[in-house]
Amino acid sequence: MASLEASPLDQRLEWDTPLFLMARAQFEQAVPHADVPDEIVERLSFPERAVIVSVPLRRDDGSIQVFPGYRVQHSTVLGPTKGGLRYDPEVSLGECAALATWMTWKCALLRLPYGGAKGGIRVDVRSLSRTELEKLTRRFTSELIREIGPHTDIPAPDMATNDQTMAWIMDTYSVQKGYVVPEVVTGKPISIGGSVFRREATGAGVVMVTDQACTRLGRTLPGQRCVVQGFGNVGGVAASELHDRGAIVVAVSDISGGLHNEAGLDVPELHAYVAEHGSLEGYDRCERITNEELLELPCDILVLAAREDQVTAANAAKVRASLVVEGANGPTTIEADAILADRGIPVVPDILANAGGVTVSYFEWVQDLGRLFWDREEIRRKLSDKMSDAFDRVYALADEKRITLRQAAMAAAIREVSGALEARGIYP
Ligand code: GLU
C-alpha cells in the first residue's frame, strides 16, 4: 500500500521529506504491477549514496558566503549514475533524493545504461554575478571530484544551470585530472564535445510523446489548444515545437506570471522578447494571468514544464485540460494524480515525457567516449526512435494492466532495474 507517511522513527532517514515520500509512494503504487521479488523492492527503496558539501564563495565585495551543495546517487545497478545539477533556493537533500530516484526510473525506462543521480546548490543565481557563479561552480566541482567521473556519475544541466555551467565543470575536472575529460558531463557547448540537439532535446521529446498521445486519443496535434507552464529550456522549446507543428499555444508562463490569448500566442515573438528582456515580464501584447489561472484554463493539452508540486489536491479538480504532459519532474502530486485519474484525464508522466534530455545526454556521452560525432538529423531520429519505443511499451502495459500511464511507466522501469539486480545479486 503506497503511503505518504514517513518511515517509523527508528528507520527515518534524512531524505524523508515530502517530495521523496512522493517519489517513494509512486514507486510503491507501481510495484504490484511490476511482478518483482520483495528483496529487490527493499533495495531500490533507498538511494545508494548521498554527499553534502559546503561550498565557500568569496563574493565580489570581498566577503565569504557558504552555500550547501548536494549530490545523491540512487542506483548503480544499470551503470554509472546520471542526472542534472540544479541551482535553486529550494535545493535540499530530500529534493535531490526524490529527483535522483526519478532519474533511475527514467534512464531504465528509456533503456539507457545508467542509474539516477541529482544534485545542486541551494542558491538564488539571480543574487550572483557571472564571476561569482563561475567560482561557485568550480569550487563545487572540486568538492565533488571523488564522486563524479565519466564512469561513476555524469552531471548535466537542470534548473538554472546550462551549457556554460557544464563547461566550467568539465574544465575544472579536466585541469584537476591533468587531461581533457569531455565525457564527465553532458549538455556542454558543442565546441568542447557537446552534442547537437542536446539543448532542444527535452522540449522536443515532450512534443514527440504529446504527438503520440494525441494519436492514441484519436486526435491530431495540429489545431490542439495548448497551455504551457514554464518558458525555460523545457517549456520554451516545447512551446516552439508545438507552434511549429501547427498546435495553438494559447497560454505560457514563467517566473513573472502567465500570458493568455485565445487566438494563439506568437511564440517566436515571445522568444525574441525573452532574448531581449531576460523574461516575459512586461510583455503586454496579450492578457496577463496568474500561474494559478493558467493551470485552470480550458484547453486540450496542459504541458507542465516549470517545477515540482504544481497540480495538487487543491487545484486538480479545476484542471480543464483533457491531456496533461509532464515536462518538469514531479509537477503532479500523488493526490492530484488520483483526482486526474478519477476524472479520466490521462497524464503522460515525467519519466517518459521529459526523458528526451537524458537520452540525448546519453548520445553525447557515447559520442565523447568514441570521439565521433553524429549530425542533427541522426540525433533527432535516434531520439524519436527511443521515445516512441518507450511510449509504446508504456501504453501497452497500461492497457494490459488497466493502470495509469505513470504506474505503467514506473512498473516498466522497475522491471528493467530488477532484472539487472537479480542477475547481479546483492553483494556480498
Ligand atoms: N536534468 C535533466 C533531467 O531531469 C537531464 C539529466 C541528464 O541529461 O543527465 O532529466
Side-chain angles (χ1 to χ4, degrees):
M1 176 65 196
S3 140
L4 288 175
E5 306 268 310
S7 315
L9 256 188
D10 58 346
Q11 292 166 27
R12 187 171 295 177
L13 288 164
E14 285 71 9
W15 46 63
D16 273 359
T17 57
L19 201 69
F20 182 71
L21 295 175
M22 173 176 146
R24 202 181 58 191
Q26 289 177 347
F27 171 67
E28 288 172 4
Q29 282 188 347
V31 159
H33 309 292
D35 313 310
V36 296
D38 286 349
E39 69 255 28
I40 301 281
V41 173
E42 168 77 0
R43 176 68 195 108
L44 296 174
S45 302
F46 299 89
E48 286 181 17
R49 186 185 303 272
V51 180
I52 305 180
V53 295
S54 52
V55 193
L57 169 71
R58 186 176 296 282
R59 303 291 307 255
D60 291 344
D61 66 6
S63 65
I64 301 275
Q65 197 175 342
V66 178
F67 296 88
Y70 305 87
R71 187 73 178 166
V72 178
Q73 299 166 346
H74 175 259
S75 169
T76 52
V77 173
L78 290 173
T81 51
K82 185 85 192 80
L85 288 174
R86 58 172 58 179
Y87 291 176
D88 186 81
E90 310 254 308
V91 168
S92 68
L93 184 67
E95 188 191 60
C96 292
L99 292 159
T101 308
W102 284 321
M103 285 308 301
T104 293
W105 311 133
K106 194 186 301 186
C107 293
L109 178 62
L110 272 286
R111 296 190 166 149
L112 310 178
Y114 296 134
K118 192 76 87 175
I121 305 178
R122 190 183 306 161
V123 60
D124 182 353
V125 288
R126 290 171 303 177
S127 70
L128 300 183
S129 69
R130 184 182 157 95
T131 319
E132 291 172 332
L133 205 53
E134 174 172 354
K135 286 196 292 186
L136 188 69
T137 300
R138 289 184 180 279
R139 180 60 190 256
F140 184 43
T141 307
S142 183
E143 295 299 331
L144 290 182
I145 205 84
R146 284 184 295 276
E147 266 59 54
I148 62 174
H151 302 291
T152 51
D153 183 4
I154 306 127
D158 201 90
M159 280 166 54
T161 57
N162 56 25
D163 60 341
Q164 179 60 72
T165 325
M166 297 306 117
W168 290 327
I169 297 175
M170 176 273 202
D171 184 68
T172 306
Y173 187 88
S174 297
V175 168
Q176 292 212 8
K177 291 288 165 189
Y179 49 92
V180 183
V181 192
E183 58 274 22
V184 66
V185 285
T186 58
K188 299 177 292 292
I190 289 164
S191 59
I192 56 170
S195 177
V196 289
F197 206 58
R198 172 63 187 86
R199 192 188 60 77
E200 302 92 322
T202 314
V206 165
V207 178
M208 286 172 187
V209 294
T210 304
D211 189 20
Q212 280 189 279
C214 283
T215 306
R216 296 282 179 148
L217 294 168
R219 314 180 195 169
T220 52
L221 190 57
Q224 292 287 296
R225 308 180 70 73
C226 304
V227 169
V228 182
Q229 185 198 31
F231 204 68
N233 187 47
V234 184
V237 174
S240 294
E241 287 267 332
L242 287 167
H243 183 264
D244 293 350
R245 291 197 191 199
I248 304 161
V249 179
V250 295
V252 299
S253 67
D254 72 1
I255 196 153
S256 70
L259 304 175
H260 176 219
N261 182 352
E262 267 310 297
L265 293 163
D266 184 340
V267 178
E269 185 179 289
L270 295 179
H271 277 292
Y273 187 90
V274 170
E276 196 181 333
H277 299 90
S279 78
L280 294 169
E281 180 145 33
Y283 184 87
D284 58 6
R285 296 213 193 140
C286 63
E287 185 197 354
R288 291 217 66 113
I289 54 172
T290 65
N291 188 43
E292 291 71 37
E293 288 166 338
L294 176 125
L295 294 173
E296 297 167 17
L297 284 173
C299 61
D300 299 309
I301 301 168
L302 172 61
V303 178
L304 300 170
R307 61 178 308 143
E308 58 264 26
D309 225 3
Q310 297 302 302
V311 179
T312 65
N315 62 2
K318 299 185 203 150
V319 166
R320 284 190 282 168
S322 51
L323 171 66
V324 174
V325 182
E326 295 186 327
N329 294 307
T332 311
T333 66
I334 204 111
E335 297 88 354
D337 238 3
I339 295 168
L340 295 175
D342 273 354
R343 295 180 58 211
I345 301 172
V347 178
V348 184
D350 44 11
I351 62 167
L352 172 61
N354 71 32
V358 72
T359 301
V360 177
S361 274
Y362 164 63
F363 298 153
E364 179 174 332
W365 181 72
V366 167
Q367 291 173 88
D368 287 339
L369 288 171
R371 305 290 191 260
L372 55 85
F373 294 95
W374 299 320
D375 66 20
R376 194 180 168 85
E377 275 325 296
E378 181 149 17
I379 302 265
R380 208 183 160 104
R381 182 179 51 73
K382 283 181 154 69
L383 173 63
S384 169
D385 289 351
K386 277 257 178 222
M387 297 296 290
S388 64
D389 171 57
F391 184 91
D392 289 343
R393 282 185 280 115
V394 169
Y395 244 84
L397 193 60
D399 265 356
E400 177 200 323
K401 302 250 178 194
R402 308 223 153 275
I403 53 180
T404 65
L405 295 175
R406 184 182 321 281
Q407 288 162 348
M410 291 283 298
I414 293 165
R415 282 182 183 175
E416 298 285 332
V417 183
S418 172
L421 186 51
E422 277 188 88
R424 288 182 61 168
I426 303 274
Y427 175 84

